Amino acid sequence: MKKTKRAFFRIERDFLGELSIPRGAYYGIQTQRAFQNFPISGLKARPQLIMALAMVKRAATEANMALGSLDKKRALAIIKASEEVINGGHLKEFIVDAYNSGAGTSLNMNANEVIANRAIEMLGGARGDYSIVHPNDHVNMSQSSNDVIPTAIRIAAIISSAALLRELKALSLALGGKSAEFRDIVKSGRTHFQDAAPITLGAEFSSYRASIDSAIGTVKNSLSRLMQIGLGATAVGTGINTHPKYKVAALKALREITGIRCLKKARNACKYLSSADDFLLFSASLRGASVELIRIANDLRLLSSGPNTGLREITLPPVQPGSSIMPGKVNPVIPEMLVMVCCQVIGNDQAVLVASQAGSLELNVMTPVICQNILTSVALLSNAAGVFNKRCVAGIKADRQRCRQYFEDSSGVATALNRFIGYGAASDVAKEATGSGRSVKEIVIEKKIMSEREWDGLVSSGAFLGPYRIKTGTKRGTAKKRRG
């Protein structure tokens, strides 16, 4: 029995004692302890974070080698092993639960051990022979979990956000396309869920595009705060156990490895470790984008409601049957999905908020939960925005006849009469229209306030819409020109 066990396991030791490690594993004893200690969620660190961690390890190693702190032989093996992880290798070796030890020490050691054992193997040694390459002394040289994990989170968030920004930009363009397509469709506006002054369907969609553009700007602004890197702060911000030139060398290497040229040294290393305000700001930008996406998705659900008993001013592309019991029913499942995703992102932001206030003295130990939530939010929003664009927005069609009918039947069109007959008289017209069930147009013509020709002229000229184009902000022309 002992021989069989030895065939499949190796023994590793730390100051707490011994543990059996699967012989073929690249991870080691500290990873194994964390695996046993944290059977929490079944979720592992997101791949983007693991790859970012490997980037940090490579940058640190390059800096240590350049400064003469680490010999070239070991350094090159560590760099090569790190590069394998950066390229997506060995992800199954990262077995620590996403909710692990404070400050992410367990995940940092998981990376140290995987990279160390792979480097050992490259140098001809057996996994677990840390006399060749040591996880702490060599892979983790000049580092602490306290500065490595925040750096990796920043890198992972910046890289992951590229996909989110692409999807949001594509969504903005699609909404802009619909705005142009619907620019001449006049419809009833609605405020307080009641009839209001007329507007175009294109103007409504232009507001959706503007909201997405604003969200993109907010996300970009928050990302600029994540560009501040405190690698080299080590345990408490003082840079203990590092070469005096290490911080500059490591940052330079990290810029080269990540391709993110805008990375810069954190203004205050101590604040970098204890405050999570940059993460909170970034998470808040995702929350803000989610709020706007919910509003847009819910508007589309409302505008497409029906088909016979709702507004039905637009139709959404049917993507699947909507009911297990009602034949022929089609639901707005894509907008519904988007709302659910955004609700989750808003919940994730709340977790980030609570975790961010947990910074105490020289460290915020809640970085694992902060990381898990912001990277999950980025991935969810990226995927959901892409699906929403391709499987919903791109296929939206307008019901021109329905929009025109609502416009003509709306009491809100009486607003345009203010400058012709005054607010009081216009109110009487609106009240009569609402009470009688007749249109404002019918009453205006009946009372000889204007002729049918004059009314149609106002409609065709766009006079009911006001002097400004909502989409461009340019004037349509004076009222006199429109009338005549």
Side-chain angles (χ1 to χ4, degrees):
M1 189 69 178
K2 287 185 178 180
K3 288 183 179 180
T4 303
K5 185 175 181 179
R6 287 173 182 170
F8 293 101
F9 293 90
R10 66 178 189 264
I11 302 298
E12 291 194 12
R13 298 169 182 82
D14 61 15
F15 68 88
L16 295 180
E18 295 183 347
L19 273 184
S20 296
I21 311 296
R23 185 170 293 277
Y26 283 115
Y27 60 81
I29 187 169
Q30 293 203 43
T31 301
Q32 184 68 17
R33 289 195 187 282
F35 181 75
Q36 294 173 348
N37 286 336
F38 307 114
I40 308 302
S41 67
L43 301 172
K44 308 304 179 189
R46 299 193 71 87
Q48 299 93 331
L49 178 62
I50 294 171
M51 294 173 189
L53 262 174
M55 291 176 180
V56 174
K57 296 300 171 183
R58 175 174 173 175
T61 302
E62 288 186 3
N64 285 322
M65 180 175 65
L67 296 171
S69 302
L70 182 62
D71 65 277
K72 187 175 181 179
K73 182 179 179 181
R74 284 193 178 98
L76 291 177
I78 293 170
I79 289 169
K80 188 174 180 180
S82 299
E83 192 62 27
E84 290 182 352
V85 178
I86 293 170
N87 292 328
H90 315 301
L91 291 180
K92 64 180 178 57
E93 299 291 326
F94 288 81
I95 63 172
V96 175
D97 195 273
Y99 301 91
N100 56 82
S101 56
T105 300
S106 298
L107 181 60
N108 184 39
M109 284 308 305
N110 197 162
N112 289 334
E113 290 176 342
V114 169
I115 292 170
N117 277 307
R118 180 65 183 119
I120 290 166
E121 193 173 60
M122 290 175 179
L123 294 174
R127 297 174 200 181
D129 185 357
Y130 297 131
S131 64
I132 301 174
V133 178
H134 197 281
N136 298 80
D137 295 338
H138 303 129
V139 181
N140 199 62
M141 179 180 284
S142 306
Q143 303 156 63
S144 163
S145 301
N146 299 353
D147 66 338
V148 164
I149 295 297
T151 300
I153 296 173
R154 289 165 186 261
I155 297 301
I158 293 166
I159 292 174
S160 299
S161 292
L164 172 60
L165 292 171
R166 282 196 303 270
E167 295 295 355
L168 290 177
K169 183 62 178 177
L171 177 57
S172 168
L173 292 173
L175 290 168
K178 290 299 173 182
S179 175
E181 182 182 341
F182 303 151
R183 66 183 178 274
D184 62 342
I185 301 178
V186 181
K187 53 162 285 180
S188 175
R190 298 178 181 90
T191 59
H192 303 271
F193 286 114
Q194 304 296 308
D195 295 353
I199 193 171
T200 65
L201 188 60
E204 281 187 331
F205 273 77
S206 76
S207 77
Y208 301 150
R209 179 180 190 177
S211 295
I212 297 302
D213 288 343
S214 179
I216 291 171
T218 303
V219 171
K220 285 182 175 179
N221 287 339
S222 68
L223 282 170
S224 67
R225 288 274 293 272
L226 295 182
M227 299 290 180
Q228 293 189 51
I229 300 300
L231 188 61
T234 63
V236 294
T238 62
I240 190 171
N241 290 342
T242 65
H243 189 284
K245 296 181 179 180
Y246 167 78
K247 186 179 289 188
V248 173
L251 180 58
K252 179 181 177 182
L254 197 58
R255 288 191 189 118
E256 294 292 330
I257 293 164
T258 62
I260 307 170
R261 302 294 180 179
C262 297
L263 296 180
K264 55 188 176 183
K265 185 173 69 173
R267 294 188 183 94
N268 186 295
C270 294
K271 180 261 185 187
Y272 177 87
L273 301 182
S274 60
S275 173
D277 63 340
D278 294 341
F279 298 132
L280 182 60
L281 181 67
F282 177 63
S283 180
S285 76
L286 303 180
R287 180 195 66 209
S290 297
V291 169
E292 291 303 302
L293 287 168
I294 288 174
R295 180 178 67 83
I296 294 167
N298 282 338
D299 271 10
L300 297 187
R301 293 167 65 203
L302 183 59
L303 291 172
S304 66
S305 60
N308 299 321
T309 60
L311 295 181
R312 205 197 70 201
E313 291 183 346
I314 63 173
T315 57
L316 308 182
V319 296
Q320 67 184 58
S323 174
S324 61
I325 189 173
M326 292 175 278
K329 193 170 189 291
V330 177
N331 296 333
V333 294
I334 302 299
E336 289 169 346
M337 171 278 300
L338 181 62
V339 171
M340 285 186 273
V341 164
C342 291
C343 288
Q344 182 63 63
V345 172
I346 292 169
N348 291 349
D349 175 67
Q350 188 66 20
V352 173
L353 169 63
V354 175
S356 295
Q357 62 81 41
S360 300
L361 303 178
E362 279 66 60
L363 184 65
N364 186 316
V365 299
M366 299 298 169
T367 44
V369 70
I370 291 172
C371 178
Q372 184 68 13
N373 279 281
I374 62 175
L375 293 186
T376 297
S377 291
V378 170
L380 286 173
L381 281 179
S382 298
N383 295 336
V387 170
F388 180 59
N389 179 18
K390 297 178 182 69
R391 302 189 67 81
C392 180
V393 173
I396 292 175
K397 296 180 180 179
D399 189 325
R400 290 174 176 266
Q401 183 177 352
R402 188 85 158 189
C403 288
R404 179 64 181 259
Q405 176 190 337
Y406 283 143
F407 159 68
E408 291 184 343
D409 290 345
S410 168
S411 60
V413 75
T415 304
L417 300 177
N418 286 353
R419 58 196 172 91
F420 296 105
I421 61 177
Y423 178 86
S427 297
D428 292 338
V429 170
K431 181 179 179 180
E432 185 174 343
T434 301
S436 66
R438 294 189 296 161
S439 70
V440 170
K441 175 184 177 181
E442 291 178 81
I443 295 170
V444 165
I445 294 172
E446 179 186 283
K447 292 181 177 296
K448 301 186 183 307
I449 295 172
M450 64 178 61
S451 68
E452 185 168 355
R453 181 180 178 183
E454 288 174 324
W455 176 276
D456 290 341
L458 287 175
V459 173
S460 62
S461 69
F464 282 129
L465 299 175
Y468 298 99
R469 293 182 184 271
I470 293 176
K471 182 179 179 182
T472 63
T474 57
K475 290 189 175 182
R476 300 178 66 91
T478 65
K480 183 177 180 180
K481 288 181 180 178
R482 287 198 302 272
R483 289 197 298 271

